[in-house]
Amino acid sequence: MKANLNSNKEGEEFSNLGITVKKADDLSEWYNQVVLKAGLADYSAVKGFMIIRPLGYAIWENIQKKFDERIKKRGVRNAYFPLLIPESFFNKEREHAKGFSPEVAWLERSDEESGQRLAIRPTSETIICDSFRSWLRSYRDLPIRVNQWCNVVRWEIKMTKLFLRTREFLWQEGHCIYETREEAEKETLMFLNEYKELIEKELAIPVISGRKTDNEKFAGAIYTLTTEALMPDGKALQTATSHYLGQDFMKVFEVQFTGRDKQKHSPHYISWGMSTRLIGAMVMVHGDDKGLVIPPRVAPVQIVIIPILFGDERDTAVLNAAEHLKEELQSEFSVELDARPGYSAGWKFNEWELRGVPLRI
Amino acid sequence: MKANLNSNKEGEEFSNLGITVKKADDLSEWYNQVVLKAGLADYSAVKGFMIIRPLGYAIWENIQKKFDERIKKRGVRNAYFPLLIPESFFNKEREHAKGFSPEVAWLERSDEESGQRLAIRPTSETIICDSFRSWLRSYRDLPIRVNQWCNVVRWEIKMTKLFLRTREFLWQEGHCIYETREEAEKETLMFLNEYKELIEKELAIPVISGRKTDNEKFAGAIYTLTTEALMPDGKALQTATSHYLGQDFMKVFEVQFTGRDKQKHSPHYISWGMSTRLIGAMVMVHGDDKGLVIPPRVAPVQIVIIPILFGDERDTAVLNAAEHLKEELQSEFSVELDARPGYSAGWKFNEWELRGVPLRI
């Protein structure tokens, strides 16, 4: 039936819009076509940057919602820290500065008061530690758990790839401080497990948890835990990380508290993050030769109803039945009824398949 | 009773944390103290930038949620466009470039391919018009309504003020294109009315709608509609704007569609925005000499229960009753039970009053 419906004029036109290479033949080209043709994202006029189109952004909103609920249950509160970071902050933690400085984008303008250069944040450890210093007084204030949803810029030199490696991306970065090393390490692992559950349950991507080697760990961390997903080409893709940062940042930013023993102590610091890269992982793992396949739990449209219309008096009955079905389903699912005139059912079927809607009726 | 409870040691300590000037005596100083001491925001190490603390951000999340629901009902879809804008984009629309160029923050790095300078977005008309060009083909694609929630940077020369005027702020910017001028102007007004309802119903701030003078209108607009709130000093504060931009941006960015008559046409363009400045307006209008007052519909904590504890065997009964009350109320409201040891009920009462919780029990 699909073949039949395809053989009209719109069906032929559609073939140009469809994916023209097989996933098994050329993974990289297949990936680019799926992301662009399904309408997840576009290239930007600025090299290495991307436009997240409404379909891609709606998936990101669903991921955000599910993860935000999880971390709020863990006592995390959202906040927002400035986009621009003074140079002196960067240079305080030597390993951190060394790791990030090649990728930093500096502004032409500098800070009027200090005369310092200003960087667009590649990550916010330094500016958040500066706030921890002013917020923290006593052991009773601990733990402090904050998170921000924001954009970051890292001037990648490697080839960029939509969602998987871009110079700007959207992410969340969680930053927590604790009274003891034991608590901090326990929660480093706890947040990693939240990622693992999110990615496996909501995105249906199996991941392996582990520890990064010293060469690969976050610049400034004692160690980095990671969840890695297996890509179709056999490579591992880092999907989320959780870092135990120890007390170095605390010492250089003078973050201290008065302990139960009335003495000054440095807290133990962790940070953890995941980004829009997850959408790239989702495309890689679930997509097929017909296009995108979105896991049902994060799909903006879970079911699409495509009525087969004949252009005569029978259409009213078909549309009524379709409308009725939609009402029945939408108490539990996100449903769209595609009654657009001027497109055949076959063309629509192909288009929704390309765009990855889990169920087409 | 409050006076009694206040006269213990914590009560005395608290007076330093409270607001030390009256709203009627020194509005500007009163405002700064409320924002800082209630924990809405902090100054940043970079001049003109701010840190939105968890309480301030939770209010912003509530505003976002309510407005996002409204615009999605109006057919708007969220997306995300790049932070960086090439210089040539800016210069395409002469009035727009003239209006924004003094406030633009440029990067040291330029685009590798075009060699162009790159600006941090002060607003995204130009980069979104570039996408409209590639998305739009036929009148059947119209209207297109997109919105983004993001940060923008405008290098203000005037004195900055927390939430009310900062060099970076969070906002939403909606961008829509239509087949006809009539539709575009109708929706310019419709989105203004959505703002008016949001601000009046959710934030309980009365606003006056009107049209900006030609000197005050958005750079590049035919006209700008605005909602303005009355501040305690008698000045008007702009709380949201909606612009009818006509066809100029469309022409310089070559955004065209094939019309019903098979001819090429330029669509009609509108944009509309509101920002974290709304939180500043809320403080100004509702705050009092004891601190912040958050309107119930956007309050992260709507009710706080403060049990009066005696430090003896009666406390168990008091805490049980409080816990019971909390369970009863939290089906309908966001409730917090403040059972922290080491602080008196009077101290807690004052602290929650400073932080603007609508109801304290």
Side-chain angles (χ1 to χ4, degrees):
Chain A
M1 177 155 176
K2 265 181 66 193
N4 260 349
L5 287 166
N6 258 356
S7 66
N8 59 14
K9 192 168 152 279
E10 292 88 353
E12 282 160 44
E13 262 176 35
F14 186 83
S15 64
N16 298 321
L17 301 176
I19 309 301
T20 60
V21 294
K22 291 201 182 305
K23 189 176 181 182
D25 291 346
D26 185 345
L27 185 67
S28 173
E29 171 62 17
W30 168 88
Y31 176 85
N32 292 342
Q33 285 197 15
V34 171
V35 170
L36 294 169
K37 293 185 176 183
L40 286 177
D42 280 342
Y43 293 113
S44 156
V46 180
K47 189 164 180 265
F49 284 71
M50 72 185 283
I51 292 148
I52 305 181
R53 296 185 64 174
L55 177 60
Y57 199 81
I59 296 170
W60 180 238
E61 285 181 319
N62 287 340
I63 294 172
Q64 282 188 298
K65 188 164 169 282
K66 286 174 193 290
F67 192 66
D68 206 63
E69 281 166 11
R70 283 176 180 270
I71 61 177
K72 280 180 176 158
K73 278 187 196 144
R74 298 298 190 175
V76 177
R77 302 177 74 193
N78 288 333
Y80 185 77
F81 296 85
L83 175 70
L84 301 183
I85 298 180
E87 187 165 21
S88 66
F89 279 23
F90 256 105
N91 296 336
K92 281 193 183 186
E93 216 287 339
R94 209 170 46 88
E95 289 302 318
H96 189 66
K98 210 171 76 185
F100 280 100
S101 59
E103 294 182 355
V104 166
W106 298 99
L107 255 66
E108 281 186 2
R109 291 183 191 267
S110 48
D111 183 47
E112 280 100 333
E113 273 176 11
S114 65
Q116 284 190 66
R117 289 168 91 201
L118 299 170
I120 299 182
R121 64 179 161 229
T123 182
S124 304
E125 275 73 12
T126 58
I127 205 156
I128 292 180
C129 283
D130 189 55
S131 281
F132 282 152
R133 186 190 50 231
S134 72
W135 294 347
L136 184 62
R137 292 283 169 275
S138 146
Y139 70 91
R140 284 180 299 195
D141 301 326
L142 293 171
I144 297 177
R145 300 183 189 93
V146 294
N147 175 67
Q148 74 174 343
W149 293 96
C150 66
N151 54 344
V152 289
V153 171
R154 298 179 185 176
W155 219 265
E156 291 277 355
I157 297 148
K158 292 187 202 166
M159 268 287 276
T160 54
K161 193 137 189 97
L162 294 162
F163 289 114
L164 295 173
R165 190 187 295 122
T166 47
R167 287 180 171 173
E168 179 188 19
F169 54 87
L170 303 183
W171 79 341
Q172 61 65 224
E173 46 178 324
H175 298 262
C176 311
I177 50 177
Y178 305 87
E179 193 178 348
T180 65
R181 172 170 187 145
E182 193 191 347
E183 276 175 284
E185 292 202 68
K186 201 175 127 195
E187 297 217 346
T188 308
L189 184 59
M190 178 191 83
F191 286 111
L192 191 82
N193 285 332
E194 289 288 357
Y195 287 130
K196 187 171 157 67
E197 275 190 43
L198 173 86
I199 299 167
E200 295 194 332
K201 288 195 180 159
E202 312 297 346
L203 290 167
I205 299 174
V207 291
I208 292 170
S209 301
R211 193 188 273 227
K212 288 276 192 191
T213 63
D214 275 357
N215 277 336
E216 288 178 316
K217 74 180 183 187
F218 180 79
I222 309 287
Y223 60 79
T224 288
L225 303 181
T226 175
T227 60
E228 310 257 335
L230 185 67
M231 294 297 102
D233 59 1
K235 290 187 187 147
L237 181 79
Q238 171 187 310
T239 46
T241 49
S242 186
H243 319 291
Y244 172 60
L245 296 148
Q247 296 175 302
D248 282 1
F249 276 92
M250 301 292 102
K251 284 173 183 159
V252 295
F253 281 92
E254 298 166 45
V255 184
Q256 290 190 322
F257 65 95
T258 307
R260 293 165 203 272
D261 58 3
K262 316 266 184 211
Q263 304 297 307
K264 293 279 181 199
H265 297 275
S266 300
H268 290 260
Y269 180 28
I270 76 170
S271 70
W272 33 280
M274 63 94 180
S275 75
T276 39
R277 165 181 269 199
L278 276 184
I279 298 172
M282 180 200 84
V283 173
M284 278 288 190
V285 170
H286 295 298
D288 62 24
D289 290 341
K290 289 181 178 156
L292 191 60
V293 176
I294 310 177
R297 293 196 187 186
V298 294
V301 175
Q302 294 173 310
I303 301 174
V304 63
I305 302 168
I306 302 167
I308 300 177
L309 302 175
F310 303 92
D312 59 27
E313 70 283 355
R314 287 171 292 178
D315 289 359
T316 318
V318 173
L319 282 172
N320 281 345
E323 194 62 59
H324 185 73
L325 183 62
K326 182 186 172 188
E327 272 162 34
E328 222 171 293
L329 291 169
Q330 72 189 2
S331 61
E332 263 188 274
F333 304 99
S334 150
V335 186
E336 192 136 327
L337 169 59
D338 184 356
R340 285 177 294 173
Y343 297 92
S344 75
W347 191 92
K348 288 178 186 174
F349 199 92
N350 284 341
E351 196 202 23
W352 288 105
E353 192 168 37
L354 171 64
R355 290 170 66 87
V357 172
L359 201 62
R360 296 167 298 277
I361 302 177
Chain B
M1 179 155 176
K2 266 181 65 191
N4 260 350
L5 287 167
N6 258 356
S7 66
N8 59 14
K9 191 167 153 280
E10 291 88 353
E12 282 160 44
E13 262 176 36
F14 185 83
S15 64
N16 298 320
L17 301 176
I19 309 300
T20 60
V21 293
K22 290 200 183 305
K23 189 176 181 181
D25 292 346
D26 185 345
L27 185 67
S28 173
E29 170 63 16
W30 168 87
Y31 176 85
N32 292 342
Q33 285 197 15
V34 171
V35 170
L36 295 169
K37 292 185 177 183
L40 286 176
D42 281 342
Y43 293 112
S44 156
V46 180
K47 189 164 179 264
F49 285 70
M50 72 185 283
I51 293 147
I52 305 181
R53 295 185 64 173
L55 178 60
Y57 199 81
I59 296 170
W60 180 238
E61 284 180 320
N62 287 341
I63 294 172
Q64 283 189 297
K65 188 164 170 281
K66 286 174 194 291
F67 193 66
D68 206 64
E69 281 167 11
R70 283 176 180 270
I71 61 177
K72 280 180 177 158
K73 278 187 196 146
R74 298 299 191 175
V76 177
R77 302 177 74 193
N78 288 333
Y80 186 77
F81 296 85
L83 175 70
L84 301 183
I85 298 180
E87 187 166 22
S88 66
F89 279 24
F90 257 104
N91 296 335
K92 281 194 183 185
E93 216 288 338
R94 210 171 45 88
E95 290 302 318
H96 189 66
K98 211 171 75 184
F100 280 101
S101 60
E103 294 182 355
V104 166
W106 298 99
L107 255 67
E108 281 186 3
R109 291 182 191 268
S110 47
D111 183 47
E112 280 100 333
E113 274 176 11
S114 65
Q116 285 190 67
R117 288 168 91 201
L118 299 170
I120 299 182
R121 64 179 161 229
T123 182
S124 304
E125 275 73 13
T126 58
I127 205 156
I128 292 180
C129 282
D130 189 55
S131 281
F132 282 152
R133 186 189 52 232
S134 73
W135 295 347
L136 183 62
R137 291 283 168 274
S138 147
Y139 70 91
R140 285 181 298 196
D141 301 326
L142 293 171
I144 297 177
R145 300 183 189 92
V146 294
N147 175 67
Q148 74 174 344
W149 293 96
C150 66
N151 54 343
V152 289
V153 171
R154 298 179 186 177
W155 219 265
E156 292 277 355
I157 297 148
K158 293 188 201 165
M159 268 288 277
T160 54
K161 192 136 188 99
L162 294 163
F163 289 114
L164 295 173
R165 189 186 295 120
T166 48
R167 287 181 171 172
E168 179 188 19
F169 53 87
L170 303 183
W171 79 342
Q172 62 64 224
E173 46 179 323
H175 299 262
C176 311
I177 51 176
Y178 305 87
E179 194 179 349
T180 65
R181 172 169 187 145
E182 194 192 346
E183 277 175 284
E185 292 202 67
K186 201 176 126 195
E187 297 217 345
T188 308
L189 184 59
M190 178 191 84
F191 286 111
L192 191 82
N193 285 332
E194 289 288 358
Y195 288 130
K196 188 172 156 68
E197 275 190 44
L198 173 85
I199 299 167
E200 295 194 332
K201 288 194 180 159
E202 312 297 347
L203 290 167
I205 299 174
V207 290
I208 292 170
S209 300
R211 193 188 272 227
K212 289 276 193 189
T213 63
D214 275 358
N215 277 335
E216 288 179 316
K217 74 180 183 188
F218 180 79
I222 309 287
Y223 60 79
T224 288
L225 303 181
T226 175
T227 60
E228 311 256 335
L230 185 67
M231 294 297 102
D233 58 2
K235 290 188 187 146
L237 181 79
Q238 171 188 309
T239 46
T241 49
S242 186
H243 319 291
Y244 172 60
L245 296 148
Q247 296 175 303
D248 283 1
F249 276 92
M250 301 292 100
K251 284 172 184 160
V252 296
F253 281 93
E254 298 165 45
V255 184
Q256 290 189 322
F257 64 95
T258 306
R260 293 166 203 271
D261 58 2
K262 316 265 184 211
Q263 304 297 306
K264 293 278 180 199
H265 297 275
S266 299
H268 291 260
Y269 180 28
I270 76 170
S271 70
W272 32 280
M274 63 95 180
S275 74
T276 39
R277 166 181 269 200
L278 277 184
I279 298 173
M282 180 200 84
V283 173
M284 278 288 189
V285 170
H286 295 298
D288 63 24
D289 290 341
K290 289 182 177 154
L292 191 61
V293 176
I294 310 177
R297 293 197 188 186
V298 294
V301 175
Q302 295 172 310
I303 300 173
V304 63
I305 301 167
I306 302 167
I308 300 176
L309 302 176
F310 302 93
D312 59 28
E313 71 282 356
R314 286 170 293 177
D315 289 359
T316 317
V318 173
L319 282 172
N320 281 345
E323 194 63 57
H324 185 72
L325 183 63
K326 182 185 171 189
E327 272 163 34
E328 223 172 293
L329 291 169
Q330 72 189 2
S331 61
E332 263 188 274
F333 304 99
S334 150
V335 186
E336 191 136 326
L337 169 59
D338 183 356
R340 285 177 293 173
Y343 296 92
S344 75
W347 191 93
K348 289 178 186 174
F349 199 91
N350 283 342
E351 195 201 22
W352 287 104
E353 192 168 38
L354 171 65
R355 291 170 65 87
V357 172
L359 201 63
R360 297 167 297 277
I361 301 177

